[in-house]
Every structure is written in C-alpha cells, then in structure tokens.
C-alpha cells in the first residue's frame, strides 16, 4: 500500500532600518561586512543527495517508520531492507492489472497507482508495512523510502500523472470520493491523496490516504488504509477525514523527520 506540497528550505537575512540608513561614513563602515547569502536550494539538495547516496543499507532502512513510531496493537507485516531484490508491491490489494484502463473505480485506480511503478522500487527501497486488525475491520500502514535510478522527481511526476489519469478517465461512483492535496512541513515536492469507497471490491468499505515526497534523489511514501467488512452506500466523510488527518498530522511528520525530509520551521 502507499502517496505532497513544496517546502524548500531557505534562509533569509533581515536588516534593520537603521543599518540601511545613515551617511556615507556609515555605509563605508558596513562595506567591510559581507552579507550572508541565502543558501542555494539546488546546491543544498545536491549536497544532501550525495550524502544520502553514501549511506549503508542499515542506515537507509533506519530512516523509515518502525513499530516504535506507531500506537500499540500494530504488528510488523513485512520488512524490506534497502538493496534487497524483491518485488516490493505497495498496494495491499495488488493485482496484475495495474494500468488505469483496467481499474474499475477511481479509488481502486489511485490505491493501485504505485504498483504500476514496482520496477522502479526493486532493490532501491527500504519498506515496512504494519497491520492492526480483527475479524471485521483493521488498519494497514506502509512506509517506504526509495532512491530510484531514474530520479525521484521523475517518479513523483509520473505518479501524479497516473493519479490525474485515474480521475480524468474514470467517473467516480456514488459510493466513493477522491481528493488530491498538498502536504505540509516537507522539503522538496510532493502530493497527497485521500479516498473513500463504501463498496470497495464488493468486499467492504475503505478509507485511505497517502503522501509522496521527493527530495535529494529520494522518494518517501507513507500510506494508511482503514477497512471494514460492512459496506456503505454513502460516502462517510468523517471516516475519510479521520484517516487523512491522522496520516498528515501524525504519521507524515514523524516519517519526514526520520527521513530528514522535514523543512526547517519558519
């Protein structure tokens, strides 16, 4: 399972009015002082990319969510270390048909978007999935950090295009709702999605949210899905908002901090 706005880190200099005013003598006195220039965001990102590329597999894997970051009751379902060659599907309801043309609903299409890019994840990702469930309902969480060979920015753009295609090519069912929005508190670029389907795969109802963030050559993914065996013929906005709020207010900030993708407070 699996998907941010832009938060480029920049520093700015503040100058008092008195420092900028006065006679030529004052200006000459300031001439020996060099203004502190704001760091170039591209240079900062490039430097961080080089530093991250030098990390060991263990160091890389330690930068994603773990059980210690989640409430009690969750269990670790799967743990893929960086460099491990294995199909790293991020869709809990994965299927062989991953193109938008083969998905029957908007929510199913968006939930399965990342699985279409599984070849970009193999061997270059650290990923963990967690589950908390009983006979009738449960919650699934997935966190991954990927360093795709073709670049995280390109993969993020492709993911966004896939999500847009899902919305443009498939009409939303009366029992589902889909939203796309920007994340907060992150370096780099990203986007988030939220979805609800009251009759998902004719098996029950789901509320899902996920965020994707690209920075310094890495793509961070945080995904949460809550499911219930009962179906609903109406969109339950409260359930959808609850899952989305928990992801963006709790899981994402923690994941950004661990991955060193959190922006500096203004």
């Amino acid at each position: 399972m699996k998907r941010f706005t832009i938060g480029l880190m920049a520093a700015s200099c503040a100058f008092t009015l008195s420092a900028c005013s006065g006679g030529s003598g004052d200006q000459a006195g300031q001439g020996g002082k060099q203004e502190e220039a704001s760091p170039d965001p591209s240079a900062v990102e490039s430097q961080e990319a080089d530093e991250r590329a030098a990390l060991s597999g263990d160091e890389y894997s330690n930068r994603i969510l773990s059980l210690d970051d989640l409430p009690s009751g969750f269990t670790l379902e799967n743990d893929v270390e960086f460099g491990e060659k294995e199909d790293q599907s991020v869709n809990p309801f994965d299927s062989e048909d991953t193109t938008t043309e083969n998905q029957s609903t908007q929510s199913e299409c968006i939930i399965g978007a990342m699985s279409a890019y599984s070849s970009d994840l193999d061997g270059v990702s650290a990923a963990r999935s967690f589950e908390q469930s009983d006979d009738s309902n449960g919650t699934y969480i997935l966190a991954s950090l990927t360093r795709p060979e073709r670049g995280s920015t390109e993969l993020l753009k492709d993911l966004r295009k896939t999500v847009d295609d899902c919305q443009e090519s498939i009409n939303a069912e009366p029992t589902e709702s889909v939203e796309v929005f920007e994340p907060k508190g992150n370096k780099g670029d990203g986007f988030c999605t939220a979805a609800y389907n009251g009759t998902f795969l004719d098996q029950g109802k789901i509320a899902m949210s996920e965020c994707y963030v690209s920075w310094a050559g890495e793509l961070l993914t945080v995904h949460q899905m809550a499911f219930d065996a009962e179906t609903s013929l109406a969109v339950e906005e409260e359930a959808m908002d609850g899952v989305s709020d928990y992801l963006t207010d709790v899981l994402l900030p923690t994941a950004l901090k661990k991955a060193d993708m959190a922006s500096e407070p203004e």
Side-chain angles (χ1 to χ4, degrees):
M1 297 186 167
K2 340 166 231 304
R3 281 150 238 319
F4 289 70
T5 292
I6 302 173
L8 286 179
M9 183 174 64
S12 61
C13 243
F15 299 96
T16 63
L17 180 60
S18 59
C20 299
S21 62
S24 60
D26 290 334
Q27 294 174 4
Q30 295 294 329
K33 296 183 179 180
Q34 191 174 15
E35 280 188 15
E36 183 180 348
S38 299
D40 175 35
S42 298
V44 172
E45 184 173 10
S46 178
Q47 180 180 349
E48 288 197 25
D50 292 340
E51 293 171 351
R52 294 164 191 236
L55 294 176
S56 67
D58 288 342
E59 289 173 323
Y60 203 92
S61 297
N62 286 337
R63 295 170 55 220
I64 59 176
L65 294 177
S66 67
L67 273 177
D68 292 338
D69 302 308
L70 303 180
S72 60
F74 277 90
T75 59
L76 178 64
E77 184 180 69
N78 195 22
D79 189 351
V80 177
E81 296 183 358
F82 184 81
E84 185 176 335
K85 287 288 184 179
E86 160 179 325
D87 180 24
Q88 298 175 31
S89 168
V90 292
N91 178 9
F93 299 97
D94 196 19
S95 67
E96 294 182 359
D97 297 327
T98 56
T99 62
T100 57
E101 292 83 358
N102 294 323
Q103 305 294 342
S104 60
T105 68
Q106 268 193 23
S107 55
E108 183 182 345
C109 181
I110 286 176
I111 291 170
M114 182 57 114
S115 62
Y117 301 96
S118 59
S119 61
D120 288 285
L121 312 179
D122 193 21
V124 292
S125 294
R128 292 192 185 103
S129 59
F130 313 89
E131 187 175 16
Q132 181 185 57
S133 63
D134 55 31
D135 292 338
S136 61
N137 58 71
T139 300
Y140 181 98
I141 293 173
L142 179 135
S144 68
L145 191 60
T146 301
R147 192 173 187 83
E149 292 184 3
R150 66 187 181 97
S152 60
T153 300
E154 289 74 13
L155 181 54
L156 181 71
K157 290 179 180 178
D158 286 349
L159 282 165
R160 183 59 187 263
K161 182 179 184 303
T162 298
V163 169
D164 291 342
D165 288 346
C166 289
Q167 293 183 286
E168 293 171 3
S169 63
I170 304 174
N171 294 325
E173 298 289 332
T175 60
E176 68 177 347
S177 177
V178 171
E179 296 178 2
V180 180
F181 58 98
E182 303 298 334
K184 297 178 181 179
N186 57 284
K187 299 176 182 178
D189 300 331
F191 72 95
C192 302
T193 66
Y196 179 90
N197 192 324
T199 56
F200 189 70
L201 299 179
D202 296 323
Q203 295 179 9
K205 55 187 176 184
I206 63 99
M208 180 280 297
S209 188
E210 61 195 359
C211 289
Y212 300 98
V213 170
S214 169
W215 172 257
E218 298 176 341
L219 183 72
L220 174 70
T221 303
V222 185
H223 171 95
Q224 180 187 16
M225 177 184 286
F227 56 91
D228 193 296
E230 294 184 4
T231 59
S232 174
L233 298 180
V235 174
E236 299 178 358
E237 295 287 349
E238 187 174 345
M240 181 175 168
D241 291 343
V243 170
S244 179
D245 289 347
Y246 183 74
L247 180 100
T248 56
D249 295 344
V250 179
L251 293 179
L252 180 59
T254 303
L256 289 172
K257 185 177 180 180
K258 293 195 72 169
D260 194 18
M261 289 187 176
S263 60
E264 295 293 336
E266 296 182 1

